[in-house]
Amino acid sequence: MEGKKMIRILDKRVSDKIAAGEVIERPASIVKELMENAVDAGADKIAVEIRKGGKTYIRITDNGCGIPFEETETAFLRHATSKITSEEDLDALDTLGFRGEALASIAAVSRMTMITKTREARTGCRLSLAGGTVSEKKATGCPDGTTMIVHDLFYNTPARAKFLRSDAAETNTITALVRSLAVAYPGIAVRMTSNDKILFATHGRGDQLAALSACFGAKAGSHLLPVEASIPGMKVHGYVSGTGESHASRKEQIFFVNGRVVESRPIERGVAKAYADKLFAGRYPAAYLFLTIDPAAIDVNIHPNKKEIRFDDDKAVTALIRDAVRRALAVKDAVPDLSDVLPDPEKSSRIQDAMQTEASEAASFRFEDPDPGQKQRRRVHETNVFGRAADGERVGSAASEQMALQEAAAALRQAARAEEDNTLEENVGETGSARMPAGTASPAKKVDAPFDFAALTLRGTIFDTYLLAQDQDSFYMIDQHAAHERINYEHIMEGIAQRKGASQIMLAPTLLEAGFADDDWTEPLCAMGYVMDAFGPGTWRVRGIPAFMDETMAREFLTEYIEVAQEGEEMEMRTIIDRAALRACKASVKANDVLHPEEARRLLDDLARCENPFHCPHGRPTFVRMRRRDIEKRFKRV
């Protein structure tokens, strides 16, 4: 007979490793937890350094409030936290961390050193741990703030270490994370270093667009459009790419809720709906969106790493994002600009010079003590933090630092361009965070009014394909076929949405074997313009088809629709509209069709009434522009 299984309490070292496995998946998990702690500590400067993808070395230094000497060991106990004190606090969280598991989990699977000092203390504390056990604690001279050093991740759990990815892959994950937090908190100067090389740096002046450009490069910021909207209890701001720029994946979509980087299906759906007929299939826009919402309306405690959150009202969030992004895409700056592909060499040279200066300032930031009388200690601190690692090794050289500054200059180029073009025209007050440090209000591009078609004057046609028009400061070319496709598409959508799709009655009705007993499945079809009625078990008589289809097109669509329905799936109305309307482009004006001036004017007037006049249903632009000042520069008039 088998012996009984005994129920026992796990050894602390075993339970700590199990718990750590839920929080610490890879080096990026450590960087996330420690950076969030630095933000919660009120830091306005954070330096992140890693080696070999964070597997052997992670160091995060901040100038926040620090930890009192007597509380340093307590900070590493599981569920020790200064963020909450009662159950009610969970319904009104305004900090990034709150569980008190981060330090205990990190220490359980690494060798760790913490150097910390509060502003009130005369000396700081150096605490070292291995596998969660304290090996050294002593007083030490150090600056205000906290430095966390993590060595040899998973040294005591080799099975976990085997599943880490390559150094490059882990570095990329950490870099993406640090970039996200740097953008979320533009009032915090952030510097990222990997293998002694500075990858990027932000200056911490509260300029969100400059932080975006510094972190993601000049190209990422070159076509961004400002987004701003609010409803009671919720507001969003940020930037999205114009429809002329897209990516093969959603990696350039980063969402923040109350300053927390999250993965959010409701926000993702809102973005997707805003771009539904503006991009080709399989292409995705860039979106950096900051949602501020009442903490009581969300639950951030549903994932061990706090990657996901739950909203009380998903639909309201999706609708707010969708409407805000749609408005952003309906302004003049959303029109593809010919000047974007005709760079100005003189301007590029000026931008390069400006960005070199900007990057040098950002990449070489120093921690400053609040007391001006502590200059000597600050010089020692700068040497310790930015000159040498904890073990005394030199972490950089003049040559590598200069190379890094040049790369940082290239990454920040767009910020200078934005300044030269005077696009940062007003201060919108709050950033996306509910807890930004004082003085970090972020200027943003002014949200423009919708595009004014009434200001356009037609000037003719070229190649019997492109209409020419101008307004006060720009010149436009309109693709007559793409424009007419958009007009027809929206006319069809409107008819279906209002359940008044126009029909054409067939001379000879067609019998259709569908195999359905009820008629619920025909409702969307009838809204499109099909005229159908039951004609025996599982058989339907089709007496009319949508006015925008010929018989062949109508039959093909019906066959496709029934196949999907018979598999137990449901075609969404939007999909039905898309598939039907895209077949209707045959009715549109073609390239090389000659239009009379009255027809061209009518086409432009009809386009002006469209919800999305900038793109055909396939995602191609309907028109492009070139600004007057760019034309004058080509002719050396300015």
Side-chain angles (χ1 to χ4, degrees), residues 258-492:
N258 291 352
R260 187 189 303 276
V261 182
V262 300
E263 297 173 1
S264 172
R265 286 291 297 161
I267 298 178
E268 187 179 290
R269 280 197 299 268
V271 173
K273 289 184 176 182
Y275 284 87
D277 54 355
K278 300 174 178 62
L279 295 176
F280 289 104
R283 303 296 297 179
Y284 304 93
Y288 310 98
L289 297 177
F290 305 82
L291 183 69
T292 303
I293 187 172
D294 181 356
I298 60 175
D299 183 358
V300 300
N301 196 25
I302 65 171
H303 191 282
N305 285 328
K306 304 184 289 290
K307 289 181 179 179
E308 302 172 11
I309 63 174
R310 182 179 291 122
F311 295 101
D312 284 354
D313 191 345
D314 285 359
K315 291 183 178 179
V317 172
T318 297
L320 173 65
I321 300 299
R322 178 199 62 206
D323 295 343
V325 175
R326 280 182 179 174
R327 281 195 292 272
L329 297 175
V331 300
K332 192 171 184 177
D333 281 349
V335 180
D337 201 329
L338 288 176
S339 60
D340 291 336
V341 296
L342 298 172
D344 182 347
E346 294 181 7
K347 181 176 180 179
S348 297
S349 178
R350 293 195 301 273
I351 291 174
Q352 179 68 38
D353 293 342
M355 294 311 300
Q356 179 68 45
T357 301
E358 180 79 8
S360 297
E361 292 180 5
S364 60
F365 71 71
R366 294 293 187 266
F367 286 86
E368 296 180 3
D369 293 312
D371 182 359
Q374 296 178 340
K375 292 182 179 179
Q376 179 62 34
R377 189 171 69 180
R378 181 165 67 249
R379 283 196 293 270
V380 174
H381 172 44
E382 290 169 359
T383 301
N384 289 340
V385 173
F386 295 103
R388 296 185 180 276
D391 54 7
E393 296 179 1
R394 183 69 181 172
V395 299
S397 65
S400 63
E401 187 124 342
Q402 180 61 31
M403 181 182 301
L405 290 179
Q406 292 173 355
E407 294 180 358
L412 287 168
R413 185 173 296 113
Q414 176 58 27
R417 176 178 178 178
E419 183 176 352
E420 180 178 308
D421 287 346
N422 295 317
T423 55
L424 302 179
E425 297 179 7
E426 69 175 3
N427 193 316
V428 297
E430 295 183 23
T431 65
S433 167
R435 298 171 294 94
M436 292 300 297
T440 59
S442 174
K445 289 177 74 174
K446 184 164 64 179
V447 179
D448 297 328
F451 187 84
D452 185 9
F453 278 90
L456 293 184
T457 302
L458 278 171
R459 294 300 186 187
T461 306
I462 59 172
F463 308 127
D464 291 330
T465 300
Y466 305 103
L467 309 183
L468 306 181
Q470 73 170 73
D471 59 17
Q472 186 174 2
D473 62 358
S474 297
F475 157 75
Y476 302 86
M477 289 192 295
I478 299 103
D479 183 330
Q480 64 188 33
H481 174 65
H484 202 200
E485 276 190 317
R486 164 53 57 181
I487 294 165
N488 288 339
Y489 178 74
E490 294 207 4
H491 178 70
I492 295 166

Side-chain angles (χ1 to χ4, degrees), residues 394-600:
R394 183 69 181 172
V395 299
S397 65
S400 63
E401 187 124 342
Q402 180 61 31
M403 181 182 301
L405 290 179
Q406 292 173 355
E407 294 180 358
L412 287 168
R413 185 173 296 113
Q414 176 58 27
R417 176 178 178 178
E419 183 176 352
E420 180 178 308
D421 287 346
N422 295 317
T423 55
L424 302 179
E425 297 179 7
E426 69 175 3
N427 193 316
V428 297
E430 295 183 23
T431 65
S433 167
R435 298 171 294 94
M436 292 300 297
T440 59
S442 174
K445 289 177 74 174
K446 184 164 64 179
V447 179
D448 297 328
F451 187 84
D452 185 9
F453 278 90
L456 293 184
T457 302
L458 278 171
R459 294 300 186 187
T461 306
I462 59 172
F463 308 127
D464 291 330
T465 300
Y466 305 103
L467 309 183
L468 306 181
Q470 73 170 73
D471 59 17
Q472 186 174 2
D473 62 358
S474 297
F475 157 75
Y476 302 86
M477 289 192 295
I478 299 103
D479 183 330
Q480 64 188 33
H481 174 65
H484 202 200
E485 276 190 317
R486 164 53 57 181
I487 294 165
N488 288 339
Y489 178 74
E490 294 207 4
H491 178 70
I492 295 166
M493 288 202 322
E494 180 183 5
I496 295 174
Q498 297 178 5
R499 295 295 194 268
K500 60 177 186 180
S503 302
Q504 51 181 325
I505 300 302
M506 302 171 65
L507 293 176
T510 299
L511 295 181
L512 184 68
E513 295 287 344
F516 299 108
D518 53 50
D519 60 358
D520 291 346
W521 69 281
T522 65
E523 183 179 347
L525 297 172
C526 292
M528 293 172 60
Y530 284 95
V531 180
M532 308 174 64
D533 51 39
F535 195 78
T539 303
W540 299 83
R541 180 175 59 179
V542 181
R543 297 187 293 109
I545 61 176
F548 60 87
M549 291 185 178
D550 59 28
E551 288 192 32
T552 301
M553 190 185 305
R555 189 180 303 110
E556 290 176 352
F557 182 79
L558 267 179
T559 301
E560 181 181 11
Y561 182 87
I562 291 172
E563 287 177 356
V564 172
Q566 286 177 338
E567 292 175 1
E569 300 179 14
E570 182 179 351
M571 268 197 188
E572 294 183 359
M573 178 56 72
R574 186 77 187 193
T575 303
I576 296 171
I577 295 172
D578 287 348
R579 295 188 181 184
L582 290 179
R583 297 173 185 265
C585 68
K586 295 179 181 179
S588 301
V589 171
K590 303 297 190 296
N592 301 317
D593 285 350
V594 178
L595 299 183
H596 294 292
E598 295 80 7
E599 294 174 315

